[in-house]
Amino acid sequence: MMKKISEKQRQRIVKYNIRQRKLQSRNNRTDNMKKERIKFSSKLSLFVPSERNKIIKILKSIPNNTFDSLYLNFIDLETINPLTALHIVHVLDKYKDRNVRFKSRNSKSLIPRAVFKLLKLNKNFGFKDVNKTNFKSSVDNWSMFSGYTSDLPDDMVRHIHDLKKMFKDPTVHFRLVTAISEAINNVIHHAYHDDQYNKWYVLTHIDDRSISVVVSDLGVTIPYTAPVSIMNTLEGTIANAKDIFIGASKDLDSLRKLKDSQLIKYATYLNSTSTKVKGRGQGFDDILNLVKNTNEFPEISRVHTSVLSKYGSYLLESNSDGSFRERSLKKNLEDFTSKIDGTVISWVIQLV
């Protein structure tokens, strides 16, 4: 039988434990001071150059096993771009065997905290006690799916089927579903090689005002495969190919020298040529036509599609008068200075 300790001994043990905790706390603060500190602004987004550079630096630290040298400060964060969030989730999943744990400071705002919990990023960022916070119900409208083949998971099939309830015109639902399916098929058939990590992710958000869909892959980028597909189109017999790709060079080497944003733009036109050429940029048609003809659908006020791939970006958005505009995130289809792995596509349909 163990001998009962005296009150004096108990007090000594308590004081020793307190000293040890203080010492560990000082050591942790010292370690954190040695880390490279990365502080985010109010918006976590790959569309904002300064924030994009921070995000990509963090993601590049994962395969290099240097993530222990970083300290992430999200205290001012208020919003998280869905496309950005899904890309982060995807990269972390690819390297999940690394047991990535950043040292981080959580946001003061409820929405980012809720998103981190919803997407299960709180463990990667070292956020504790997230279950003690009551999050806003708006985050519950997000759903995330993933897979390795073009056969969609049963819960995703049911989810997509439920989108029919959002539209009176079945054409809108058909075009959205077709776009999602074709985007996933493109990932399976064009983005990944057999020996690659070949998982896709889809993130959706549905409320009474809008529907958002994000599709992510970490495979071969659009700018990498677009030159060959464009060249095949230009060498074909399509009468309007030269008009569609006006400004595109006529030899493969010159095409490869184009900016990534230009190549993404041209890749979105591939289906419009009605060629049988299979390329990484296919699958945009149904959504692009929805953007360009929004005024034909009374229940839709606006459609916005975004593409990020490698250094490039491409946006196509409708206007209320039935017109549309296309651009990149930077002027004159300029590229970003930092690149992402793979491709992320998002569509936002705003309802009347």
Side-chain angles (χ1 to χ4, degrees):
M1 186 173 69
M2 292 184 63
K3 184 179 179 180
K4 185 177 179 180
I5 64 173
S6 66
E7 179 62 22
K8 186 175 181 180
Q9 289 173 318
R10 190 186 71 80
Q11 289 295 335
R12 189 180 298 122
I13 292 172
V14 169
K15 289 179 181 179
Y16 173 80
N17 288 336
I18 291 174
R19 286 197 303 271
Q20 288 300 110
R21 286 197 295 271
K22 288 181 177 179
L23 178 62
Q24 184 61 49
S25 178
R26 282 198 300 270
N27 290 337
N28 288 340
R29 287 198 299 270
T30 302
D31 289 342
N32 288 339
M33 289 294 289
K34 293 178 181 178
K35 295 176 184 293
E36 181 179 354
R37 305 175 77 83
I38 299 178
K39 186 175 183 180
F40 290 92
S41 67
S42 61
K43 186 171 184 179
L44 189 69
S45 175
L46 286 167
F47 294 92
V48 180
S50 60
E51 303 308 295
R52 176 190 177 97
N53 292 339
K54 296 174 189 176
I55 295 165
I56 292 176
K57 183 171 187 174
I58 291 167
L59 297 181
K60 294 298 183 186
S61 75
I62 299 172
N64 295 330
N65 285 317
T66 58
F67 50 87
D68 284 338
S69 65
L70 303 177
Y71 179 84
L72 314 182
N73 189 345
F74 297 102
I75 191 169
D76 295 329
L77 185 63
E78 296 177 358
T79 61
I80 302 178
N81 171 262
L83 184 152
T84 302
L86 190 62
H87 182 68
I88 293 172
V89 167
H90 208 161
V91 174
L92 285 167
D93 180 81
K94 181 177 180 178
Y95 297 104
K96 59 186 176 183
D97 61 317
R98 307 289 175 94
N99 193 31
V100 178
R101 295 290 187 274
F102 291 99
K103 288 286 186 179
S104 311
R105 184 173 183 180
N106 208 345
S107 169
K108 295 182 294 185
S109 301
L110 281 179
I111 290 296
R113 285 171 172 259
V115 172
F116 285 142
K117 179 188 176 184
L118 173 73
L119 301 181
K120 300 180 180 177
L121 292 172
N122 51 295
K123 292 183 179 179
N124 297 107
F125 291 140
F127 300 144
K128 300 177 181 179
D129 300 327
V130 292
N131 292 325
K132 294 182 179 180
T133 305
N134 293 320
F135 298 115
K136 295 182 179 179
S137 59
S138 60
V139 180
D140 295 335
N141 295 326
W142 289 99
S143 299
M144 186 167 65
F145 308 93
S146 61
Y148 295 92
T149 70
S150 54
D151 295 327
L152 305 184
D154 291 341
D155 56 344
M156 184 176 175
V157 173
R158 291 192 294 270
H159 181 71
I160 291 177
H161 181 76
D162 288 342
L163 291 178
K164 285 184 178 179
K165 303 173 184 176
M166 303 295 297
F167 306 106
K168 295 179 181 178
D169 188 339
T171 305
V172 181
H173 176 261
F174 174 79
R175 291 189 178 186
L176 180 59
V177 171
T178 302
I180 296 171
S181 299
E182 288 187 358
I184 292 173
N185 281 325
N186 279 328
V187 173
I188 300 302
H189 298 298
H190 300 293
Y192 291 123
H193 300 303
D194 293 337
D195 59 343
Q196 282 186 313
Y197 168 90
N198 61 347
K199 193 173 186 178
W200 54 261
Y201 270 91
V202 170
L203 182 67
T204 68
H205 177 269
I206 304 172
D207 58 33
D208 56 357
R209 296 171 298 175
S210 65
I211 296 173
S212 302
V213 178
V214 185
V215 181
S216 170
D217 74 74
L218 296 179
V220 176
T221 62
I222 291 177
Y224 180 84
T225 58
V228 173
S229 298
I230 294 170
M231 198 68 219
N232 289 337
T233 302
L234 290 171
E235 291 175 347
T237 58
I238 306 304
N240 65 337
K242 291 181 180 179
D243 293 333
I244 290 175
F245 298 114
I246 188 168
S249 304
K250 295 183 179 180
D251 64 89
L252 196 57
D253 288 339
S254 296
L255 282 170
R256 285 174 173 156
K257 293 178 182 178
L258 291 176
K259 296 166 186 172
D260 288 353
S261 296
Q262 291 175 305
L263 289 170
I264 296 172
K265 173 185 174 181
Y266 291 140
T268 64
Y269 293 162
L270 287 174
N271 268 1
S272 300
T273 63
S274 302
T275 66
K276 299 300 180 181
V277 177
K278 296 294 182 182
R280 179 68 180 87
Q282 295 206 359
F284 290 92
D285 254 16
D286 286 284
I287 289 294
L288 295 185
N289 288 333
L290 198 62
V291 176
K292 295 176 180 179
N293 300 285
T294 300
N295 59 328
E296 296 180 8
F297 303 94
E299 57 192 317
I300 297 177
S301 64
R302 187 168 175 262
V303 183
H304 182 128
T305 184
S306 306
V307 183
L308 291 181
S309 191
K310 203 175 176 182
Y311 292 97
S313 64
Y314 175 77
L315 284 79
L316 186 71
E317 42 195 3
S318 61
N319 297 316
S320 57
D321 60 359
S323 62
F324 63 92
R325 64 172 180 155
E326 55 183 351
R327 59 187 179 90
S328 67
L329 267 296
K330 305 187 78 175
K331 292 182 179 180
N332 302 320
L333 291 173
E334 291 290 332
D335 288 340
F336 288 103
T337 57
S338 54
K339 69 174 181 177
I340 66 168
D341 293 330
T343 299
V344 199
I345 303 170
S346 70
W347 304 293
V348 179
I349 300 176
Q350 295 181 352
L351 306 176
V352 174

